Amino acid sequence: MLEPRDVAAQAEGLRRQGMSVLRALGERSLAREFSRRAVAMENPEALAALLLEYLLRRKSR
């Protein structure tokens, strides 16, 4: 079982990676919005689902 600080560090890494992906796709505003929502999340599965939501939003534009 992961320690709470390990879970928080993993969540922070996922948040940063998600922001990098969105920025690399030219979606700075979506990256900022993703970051604002992701900062309150610590569940890696929820963060992955959130990133997928934002990637789909990008595609539908």
Side-chain angles (χ1 to χ4, degrees):
M1 176 139 291
L2 290 174
E3 295 290 323
R5 69 174 179 257
D6 294 336
V7 172
Q10 184 181 26
E12 177 63 18
L14 287 171
R15 184 186 69 82
R16 288 180 184 201
Q17 289 174 347
M19 286 180 59
S20 293
V21 167
L22 289 166
R23 276 195 230 119
L25 293 170
E27 297 291 345
R28 286 181 157 193
S29 64
L30 283 181
R32 284 190 298 271
E33 188 179 330
F34 167 78
S35 178
R36 281 193 294 268
R37 286 187 58 194
V39 78
M41 297 179 159
E42 288 191 4
N43 181 320
E45 290 84 10
L47 277 168
L50 183 65
L51 179 56
L52 287 174
E53 177 186 323
Y54 276 83
L55 290 170
L56 290 172
R57 285 177 58 184
R58 180 201 176 268
K59 186 177 179 183
S60 66
R61 286 181 169 194

